[in-house]
Amino acid sequence: MSIGVRSSPYWPVVSHPQLGRVLPGLVVSALGDGMSLVAVTWLALQLAPDAHRATWVAVAVAAYSAT
């Protein structure tokens, strides 16, 4: 690694052994959340009538975000 990375004030946190075990799980969880949002939006687009697609997508995303 370069010297600039190790001089960062975040280096002690990022290099902590316990965080090294938790961080991959957080990344996978965030990826799953993003994929779920895309799936909900896509499903709303597929099910909505042509004239009301924007409303259906807005309601679906709002309902997903509220939970």
Side-chain angles (χ1 to χ4, degrees):
M1 297 207 169
S2 72
I3 299 299
V5 172
R6 291 185 185 213
S7 66
S8 169
Y10 301 108
W11 179 251
V13 175
V14 175
S15 64
H16 196 275
Q18 288 180 339
L19 182 66
R21 290 191 299 259
V22 173
L23 199 55
L26 293 173
V27 169
V28 170
S29 176
L31 179 64
D33 288 344
M35 290 171 58
S36 296
L37 182 61
V38 170
V40 166
T41 304
W42 194 349
L43 182 63
L45 283 171
Q46 295 296 318
L47 295 177
D50 290 337
H52 301 287
R53 280 193 174 160
T55 304
W56 278 51
V57 170
V59 169
V61 169
Y64 174 77
S65 299
T67 58

